[in-house]
Amino acid sequence: MNKERLRKILEQLHDGCLEVDDACRLLDTLPFEDLGFAKLDHHRPLRDHFPEVVFCQGKSIEQIITIFEQLTLQSDLILGTRATQAVYDSVRERLTDIKYDPTARVLYINRSAAPSIGHVAIVTAGTADIPVAEEAAVCLGVMGAVVSRFYDVGVAGIHRLLARVNEINQAEVIIVVAGMEGALASVVGGLTNKPVIAVPTSVGYGASFNGLAALLAMLNSCASGVGVVNIDNGYGAAALAATILKTFRG
Amino acid sequence: MNKERLRKILEQLHDGCLEVDDACRLLDTLPFEDLGFAKLDHHRPLRDHFPEVVFCQGKSIEQIITIFEQLTLQSDLILGTRATQAVYDSVRERLTDIKYDPTARVLYINRSAAPSIGHVAIVTAGTADIPVAEEAAVCLGVMGAVVSRFYDVGVAGIHRLLARVNEINQAEVIIVVAGMEGALASVVGGLTNKPVIAVPTSVGYGASFNGLAALLAMLNSCASGVGVVNIDNGYGAAALAATILKTFRG
Amino acid sequence: MNKERLRKILEQLHDGCLEVDDACRLLDTLPFEDLGFAKLDHHRPLRDHFPEVVFCQGKSIEQIITIFEQLTLQSDLILGTRATQAVYDSVRERLTDIKYDPTARVLYINRSAAPSIGHVAIVTAGTADIPVAEEAAVCLGVMGAVVSRFYDVGVAGIHRLLARVNEINQAEVIIVVAGMEGALASVVGGLTNKPVIAVPTSVGYGASFNGLAALLAMLNSCASGVGVVNIDNGYGAAALAATILKTFRG
Amino acid sequence: MNKERLRKILEQLHDGCLEVDDACRLLDTLPFEDLGFAKLDHHRPLRDHFPEVVFCQGKSIEQIITIFEQLTLQSDLILGTRATQAVYDSVRERLTDIKYDPTARVLYINRSAAPSIGHVAIVTAGTADIPVAEEAAVCLGVMGAVVSRFYDVGVAGIHRLLARVNEINQAEVIIVVAGMEGALASVVGGLTNKPVIAVPTSVGYGASFNGLAALLAMLNSCASGVGVVNIDNGYGAAALAATILKTFRG
Amino acid sequence: MNKERLRKILEQLHDGCLEVDDACRLLDTLPFEDLGFAKLDHHRPLRDHFPEVVFCQGKSIEQIITIFEQLTLQSDLILGTRATQAVYDSVRERLTDIKYDPTARVLYINRSAAPSIGHVAIVTAGTADIPVAEEAAVCLGVMGAVVSRFYDVGVAGIHRLLARVNEINQAEVIIVVAGMEGALASVVGGLTNKPVIAVPTSVGYGASFNGLAALLAMLNSCASGVGVVNIDNGYGAAALAATILKTFRG
Amino acid sequence: MNKERLRKILEQLHDGCLEVDDACRLLDTLPFEDLGFAKLDHHRPLRDHFPEVVFCQGKSIEQIITIFEQLTLQSDLILGTRATQAVYDSVRERLTDIKYDPTARVLYINRSAAPSIGHVAIVTAGTADIPVAEEAAVCLGVMGAVVSRFYDVGVAGIHRLLARVNEINQAEVIIVVAGMEGALASVVGGLTNKPVIAVPTSVGYGASFNGLAALLAMLNSCASGVGVVNIDNGYGAAALAATILKTFRG
Amino acid sequence: MNKERLRKILEQLHDGCLEVDDACRLLDTLPFEDLGFAKLDHHRPLRDHFPEVVFCQGKSIEQIITIFEQLTLQSDLILGTRATQAVYDSVRERLTDIKYDPTARVLYINRSAAPSIGHVAIVTAGTADIPVAEEAAVCLGVMGAVVSRFYDVGVAGIHRLLARVNEINQAEVIIVVAGMEGALASVVGGLTNKPVIAVPTSVGYGASFNGLAALLAMLNSCASGVGVVNIDNGYGAAALAATILKTFRG
Amino acid sequence: MNKERLRKILEQLHDGCLEVDDACRLLDTLPFEDLGFAKLDHHRPLRDHFPEVVFCQGKSIEQIITIFEQLTLQSDLILGTRATQAVYDSVRERLTDIKYDPTARVLYINRSAAPSIGHVAIVTAGTADIPVAEEAAVCLGVMGAVVSRFYDVGVAGIHRLLARVNEINQAEVIIVVAGMEGALASVVGGLTNKPVIAVPTSVGYGASFNGLAALLAMLNSCASGVGVVNIDNGYGAAALAATILKTFRG
């Protein structure tokens, strides 16, 4: 859009319909964000194949509807994370093609199929980590990734994990989701040569300190090739995985 | 080896030299580690194109020499991180082709040129972050990556960073190294569509709490596509970057 | 009153109705608070052009009404922060000219227009930071400042901020409100030569630790000219900004 | 410069010397930093009347000399903080007009008298806080402020402070430097209508946790009009005070 | 009972009904608790003039009634702290002479007037600290102390405190109750030569971290003669004050 | 099942119905978990005499019923911890022989009497620690241990503990459950030569920081022979005690 | 002096040498500190029977000598805490009657015997706590208290403590000094009816976090009648004990 | 001695040289510690088969020699932990049969062979954890345990651990020593049915926060049967293991 607007100005100038001074003034008053967007063309592709994302928690239903309606004007691909069923029920009255995943608490509109960007394995330590894992999984699906789920393979029963290692290693990026002591990230990191994105979760109690124990464990992982995102940040892991895939596969 | 031993048992069974019950008992007592090693063949390649790495800090010079001598028997590519000049001076008496980078505090032996694996940009907020950045840079160089350095482009003078954004975006993976408030990771994350690996450093004083402030900032980055490693862990960032590159480029 | 009482003693002494020893003893037992108040005249002006402020959270509606009624006897300018709609509904039954801003959660009575004290820009990283920003904005408005709002210009999309820098720099004091990693304070600090007041917010989750991450980031800002107030303390930022403006403009 | 370059392109287009497609391509490749620098002209003045500042701690003497020599080519006013006597002894061999304050640990070159910018009071709780206070005082002196020192007036003997309140209130900005429980900031804040910049120090032991106790106390100050900087950050307080003064007095 | 049992053994020995060896063996197996109880007679008086205290929070109404009924069989003086109105309403159906202070959230039965033990001043920084102060005040009243209240004399308006210093110093023990930055303990400590018991409260928000800021401030008090109890522990302060008074006045 | 499948392959090989190569290929593709299970036979006994355990908190009633129904197919002994009365009411509609202990919040099915494994003493500091102690006690009972309870013998009245020491020492393992300052673990540790398992509880307020104070105290115990589990982890203490008993008594 | 000046004004007024208006104006401008000093007469006694105290740590030998020399002009009783042997060696060259206790690291001048103020028991958990205990003991001795030492009676061997309880209870105030888990304060608190001052020490390692574990334990003491001072603050405990004794015994 | 004194009283009573009342009074005043020691016979066996242990760190060589010389008078088995080579060199001049292990930093005298108490496996994650492991190993050896060492089998290369699982499971108690993320404790806990004692170490940097990360991970272990001791507390793990073994095997 901006490029078109810029080109129109340049064409009018070229065609003599516009004087140089007027063109300067127009460019000057052209909102900076426009120049900004033009400038940002180099990383435009990122925005292009990334959905617009709304963090719904703490926003009113009114606000969320307004934001979604605005976004649908410019994007075919919209994600809303941390959305309740009540939010979904209200939003779909206005946007009938919106979909909702209650476990992942993710709302999404996906009007044009995203091109396939690659394959991500998502591994969780326990069943309580699944909502965070599903936030990652649903987001990745919307972004065009194939997701393989390996849930409840925590290190207390290491054979459950070992039995699935070959399958996990089929993926190009591995997301490990674990609360409590977060040891799974290190163990998976030692069993793969793929990049590992570790997501600590707030699953646990007492000295888990709402995910701090898992977070510290993952940051201190003795395995190499592990990057960490914020506690319970399933979307963040998905975004990093998709960024990696798009950089090389997109 | 294990496979051979297993096959021998099966052949004996097939040939009637062994009864089913005996075969069962033999398989039962077959050492686990053997099957384990066979199993691990699938991720063996990871180790193959990664250097062996020695964390030198806290080890005596004697121990480091011994470890390096052992490693040279099986690997052409060895890294020693957090090594002092004194360690280098002693080790090179025995391993004359060992090299040392005093800023990065990295020792390395590189007897066969690593195949090129891709391009990494390393960005630092200040000059005090350079040793951590160089640990990443030297390790990446040994692993076969081309490294572009963008040092001292912290957010207090945002124009320094903006002036280099196009160049930074040439890389396939971006490592951001920053202490104090660690804001650079978020800003770079917002200006690129490449995966960002954030390394908090212990640069700062007072309420930086030895890197905690930068670590928390990076984990809470409002930009997406950012993974975080441990404080001052230049090697860890290099390993993650190389893992990504090798997965897609190797 | 104190001055009168003091003068009476002195007059009696002067008139010979009182001996020196008795005067000494009287002055000795003159309640300290009286001299104290006289002494405090020097900073009385501070209180004079500041509104009386009531922190409503944790107070009963009864208590708040009583306090407001008492304050209206001596002041034309009263602020109540962290007030709910229910508080407002009850208080306005008794004080019909009280006003309420539901986003800022601020109650106020403003019976005499405050003299203009200057111009403050309030900048937020995200939309979730707006309630804290509005607490500052509404309080500043009551205190007589002109407020310009620059909301949702966080560093993940730095062009949004850069597009507004010139406007922001029109202000004499800049308040930056940000949660999550709080990087905006450093970036704004680097783009202005005006004093910056940084307000960390509890916006975020996980390793934001209820605003600790943003707080630490702001305290470690690599930009100079930045002072920090408590987490979510919009009023505190307003008070500091107004103090600066009144010192020089009042 | 950029504007000229932009105008030249537009003129060529207008004159038919350039096709629209070529103009688009030229605008696309116009280096960002150029627009960036143009943009930044507006805040250039900030840098103009501030000294260049070097944080010497953790830099080698070689590095410091190099940086100072480079800076003297473009600035008459240079500060080096956290500098040891040894650094000074070495640097003055090359830069003979450099001066050093051993208590403040500040190096400075001041080749043109800074214009007077106003009056700052610096108040400390104890004698152990003096080095941090002097870092602020010396830096402010170089920046052109008149500094009044009120040292060792901590709250354990409140009369020491009360006796000086009138003098302290003569200043336009007050810097309060305190370790241990940091109560002085609140008490001073309650006795003045001037902006207060609070500097927690690491003075103390045990549960002072290297300044954390004072930092938290200052952030929670029940007095209004108080902004906080990092622990032991005397320079930071000076920079904020000078920024305020220059905004209104400069 | 134990004494009797011991005496019986000694009498049997004296009367020749028991041999020395048997007596030794009997004494050896004499249950420890018996001697223990005898031993504890010396500090029995402590319990005698202290009320029995029940921490009601987290106990069911059933449990509280049962405990109170049991205690009334052996004590004329019973305190219940952290009790809700609902608890009181239920308990008084069974124990008609029980009293309740809703601000202090203290239940008490006081069937025999406690002898006067002395005079305690209770000082609070703000009105929000009053419930904790009243917990101390009501408990002290039941224990026989005269209590003078000095509420809302925080350091932000130091004249409010200074005006009351002489009155405060009439007490033999001073309890200071303050949240936020907790500076009041240091200031009072510097203005008195009486023992000061500091009670941090959880009043505040953000970086008060639920009373941690006030707690650390009080532990680091630059004034001497200050002892600290747990956050919000009004009863604990009362118990320490009463212990001091009874040691010297009881 | 796996063993049967393995044996079938071996029998076919032995009977000539299968060639060696085919057998190798079959074993190769035999799911790892199958070999894993065979391998895990060595520690199978652990699982055999341990109940299956379900952490109910955070799971829906639906999920808990499903899990319990599945588990009853393979185990006679099932524990559900942190279960509410509502969960019990729902589950027993489907599993009529399920039992519930409301204090311990433990659900259990115990269809075959566990063999006696030994004797455990459980000691608590206060009555508020009893729910955690009962979680341990009920779990141990289901696992076959005899449990002796010594509740409310905290160190503030040391004679209560001393009176019971001989009885406590009859046990083979001692579990100490304490909140607040957690001193009981050290005192019991000094009075016994049996292994002590310390369970910090979140009982307390203010600076107990939800059990952190007790946890740190127990980790720093000056008595030897003390191992610590997570805050409020009654089940964990029971599991460790049972593991010790079964290792030596089972 | 102030009183004289005040009296002079009053006499002049009385004698007719001064008009009332002039007297008012004179009193108005009478420096606050003067009235302040008069006002402070009421708490002067506190300072009178307390030694002047110098915290030597972090001060140069020059500074310490100067301070001691100044103090000897106005006080017969001076304490210097945290003083090294080197400080003592230097100071006694100038002040020949200065004494030094190397364990307590306390310097003192005691030129007039302090009147006896009472009896304090000091109890330590281990031998490593003795330096902190001796700081308290030596300071109390200089202040005029009789001190009984009960060292190395920690709770791991509770009999050591129980054996001394009667003796400990002879004191009027009990100071408990303990590191590691700090349990001794609670146990002593439960065995006495005297006020207990708890001093956490930094003795320990790992999760003692430099005394934090003991500090938290003492603040959460389940025994009543316990006040806490800063980690390693032997002087603080002595000052509080002496304040209590002087209030009632002085 | 006490027993003798007690017997003398009983004999005098028996012989009629003492009246019952006098005997009662004598026993009453008999120092508690005497009865205490008699009483402690019941747990004496603990002390009997445990070595006396001296924590050498922070003690002077003089003190250590004195303590060792005293201990050798009453015990054949003495341990000194955290002892330097210099301590050993000095002590052996006086106690020629003292031995020293420089890796474990343990001094010991073992004059009578301890009876065998059982078998302990010690497992470490890395080579840097070996000193802590050896502290445990050497202490256990002196206490009579057979120790099997499994060093450097951390989870980053899980096959190293899996290969040794059967051997590890031969032990009756397993000690797991790990720093960094401490994941090894959970993995071992899941692979064994033996009690696991987890020792976090301070090995690591940055966000390991001196062992806090490993400590939290171990406390949150998803495997059951795991007890945790303090950071770097090799001796503590040995003492708990020996306590378990002696309870069942001794």
Side-chain angles (χ1 to χ4, degrees), chain D residues 7-250:
Chain D
R7 169 173 280 272
K8 206 164 290 173
I9 292 167
L10 298 181
E11 282 171 358
Q12 291 175 326
L13 188 70
H14 181 256
D15 298 348
C17 312
L18 201 67
E19 288 309 299
V20 168
D21 279 354
D22 296 326
C24 278
R25 204 170 49 248
L26 275 172
L27 289 179
D28 241 31
T29 56
L30 192 67
F32 188 93
E33 69 266 48
D34 296 350
L35 286 175
F37 274 112
K39 201 76 213 159
L40 291 171
D41 272 353
H42 298 296
H43 69 267
R44 211 52 207 289
L46 167 68
R47 311 273 159 234
D48 289 350
H49 52 212
F50 251 66
E52 300 286 339
V53 184
V54 184
F55 187 76
C56 296
Q57 190 175 294
K59 294 203 176 67
S60 71
I61 289 178
E62 290 308 300
Q63 290 175 315
I64 296 168
I65 290 175
T66 306
I67 296 171
F68 264 84
E69 286 186 334
Q70 285 179 330
L71 289 177
T72 52
L73 301 180
Q74 47 185 300
S75 175
D76 279 356
L77 203 56
I78 310 170
L79 278 173
T81 60
R82 309 231 171 169
T84 60
Q85 179 75 38
V87 165
Y88 168 57
D89 292 342
S90 299
V91 176
R92 84 175 143 178
E93 286 178 22
R94 300 281 271 279
L95 295 163
T96 53
D97 62 343
I98 202 160
K99 296 201 189 65
Y100 182 61
D101 185 302
T103 303
R105 294 176 302 157
V106 170
L107 280 179
Y108 56 99
I109 290 173
N110 195 354
R111 288 175 178 166
S112 67
S116 173
I117 59 170
H119 180 192
V120 178
I122 304 184
V123 185
T124 78
T127 53
D129 302 313
I130 291 176
V132 175
E134 281 298 308
E135 184 180 286
V138 172
C139 291
L140 277 166
V142 171
M143 293 169 185
V146 174
V147 175
S148 303
R149 290 159 171 88
F150 304 85
Y151 289 173
D152 198 20
V153 295
V155 300
I158 197 80
H159 58 287
R160 295 179 300 182
L161 175 65
L162 295 178
R164 313 295 298 277
V165 164
N166 281 353
E167 287 174 79
I168 292 170
N169 274 321
Q170 303 306 311
E172 292 161 297
V173 177
I174 302 170
I175 294 175
V176 177
V177 182
M180 300 179 76
E181 89 280 61
L184 187 60
S186 295
V187 175
V188 170
L191 291 168
T192 189
N193 59 357
K194 301 294 166 45
V196 172
I197 301 171
V199 190
T201 72
S202 54
V203 169
Y205 59 91
S208 93
F209 296 125
N210 302 313
L212 178 63
L215 172 63
L216 293 182
M218 287 168 169
L219 287 166
N220 284 284
S221 176
C222 56
S224 58
V226 179
V228 185
V229 298
N230 196 2
I231 297 165
D232 291 336
N233 192 3
Y235 166 72
L240 178 53
T243 302
I244 293 171
L245 291 174
K246 284 176 176 167
T247 297
F248 298 97
R249 289 275 174 271

Side-chain angles (χ1 to χ4, degrees), chain C residues 136-197:
Chain C
V138 172
C139 291
L140 277 166
V142 171
M143 292 168 185
V146 174
V147 175
S148 303
R149 291 159 171 87
F150 304 86
Y151 289 172
D152 198 20
V153 294
V155 300
I158 198 81
H159 58 287
R160 294 179 301 180
L161 174 65
L162 295 178
R164 314 295 299 277
V165 163
N166 282 353
E167 287 173 78
I168 291 170
N169 274 322
Q170 303 305 311
E172 291 161 297
V173 177
I174 301 170
I175 294 175
V176 177
V177 183
M180 299 179 74
E181 90 280 62
L184 187 61
S186 295
V187 175
V188 170
L191 290 169
T192 189
N193 60 356
K194 301 294 166 45
V196 172
I197 302 171

Side-chain angles (χ1 to χ4, degrees), chain A:
Chain A
M1 193 177 84
N2 286 314
K3 289 230 162 182
E4 285 165 33
R5 191 168 161 198
L6 177 64
R7 170 173 281 270
K8 207 165 287 170
I9 292 169
L10 298 182
E11 281 171 359
Q12 290 176 327
L13 189 69
H14 181 257
D15 298 347
C17 309
L18 200 70
E19 289 308 300
V20 167
D21 278 353
D22 296 325
C24 278
R25 204 168 51 248
L26 275 171
L27 289 179
D28 239 31
T29 57
L30 191 68
F32 187 92
E33 69 265 45
D34 296 349
L35 285 176
F37 274 111
K39 201 65 216 166
L40 291 170
D41 271 353
H42 297 298
H43 68 267
R44 207 56 205 289
L46 168 69
R47 310 278 158 228
D48 287 351
H49 50 213
F50 251 65
E52 300 287 338
V53 184
V54 184
F55 186 76
C56 297
Q57 190 175 293
K59 293 203 176 68
S60 70
I61 288 178
E62 290 308 300
Q63 290 175 317
I64 295 169
I65 290 173
T66 306
I67 294 171
F68 265 84
E69 287 185 333
Q70 285 180 332
L71 290 177
T72 51
L73 302 181
Q74 46 185 299
S75 175
D76 280 356
L77 203 57
I78 310 169
L79 277 174
T81 60
R82 309 233 171 166
T84 60
Q85 178 76 38
V87 164
Y88 169 57
D89 291 342
S90 300
V91 176
R92 85 176 141 177
E93 288 177 20
R94 299 281 270 280
L95 296 164
T96 52
D97 62 343
I98 201 160
K99 297 202 189 63
Y100 181 61
D101 185 302
T103 303
R105 295 178 302 157
V106 170
L107 280 179
Y108 57 99
I109 291 174
N110 195 355
R111 289 176 177 163
S112 65
S116 173
I117 58 170
H119 181 191
V120 178
I122 304 185
V123 185
T124 79
T127 55
D129 302 312
I130 290 176
V132 175
E134 282 297 308
E135 185 180 286
V138 172
C139 291
L140 277 166
V142 171
M143 293 167 186
V146 175
V147 175
S148 304
R149 291 160 171 87
F150 304 86
Y151 288 172
D152 198 21
V153 294
V155 299
I158 197 83
H159 59 287
R160 295 180 301 182
L161 175 65
L162 296 178
R164 314 295 298 278
V165 164
N166 282 352
E167 286 173 79
I168 292 170
N169 274 321
Q170 305 304 313
E172 291 162 298
V173 177
I174 301 170
I175 294 176
V176 177
V177 182
M180 299 178 76
E181 89 279 63
L184 188 60
S186 296
V187 175
V188 170
L191 290 168
T192 189
N193 59 357
K194 301 295 165 45
V196 172
I197 302 171
V199 190
T201 72
S202 54
V203 169
Y205 60 91
S208 93
F209 295 125
N210 303 313
L212 178 64
L215 171 63
L216 294 182
M218 287 168 169
L219 286 166
N220 284 285
S221 176
C222 55
S224 60
V226 179
V228 184
V229 298
N230 196 2
I231 297 165
D232 291 335
N233 192 4
Y235 166 72
L240 178 52
T243 302
I244 292 171
L245 290 174
K246 284 175 176 167
T247 296
F248 297 98
R249 289 275 174 271

Side-chain angles (χ1 to χ4, degrees), chain G residues 53-71:
Chain G
V53 184
V54 183
F55 187 76
C56 297
Q57 190 175 294
K59 295 203 174 68
S60 71
I61 288 178
E62 290 309 300
Q63 291 174 314
I64 295 169
I65 290 174
T66 306
I67 295 171
F68 264 82
E69 287 185 333
Q70 285 179 330
L71 290 177

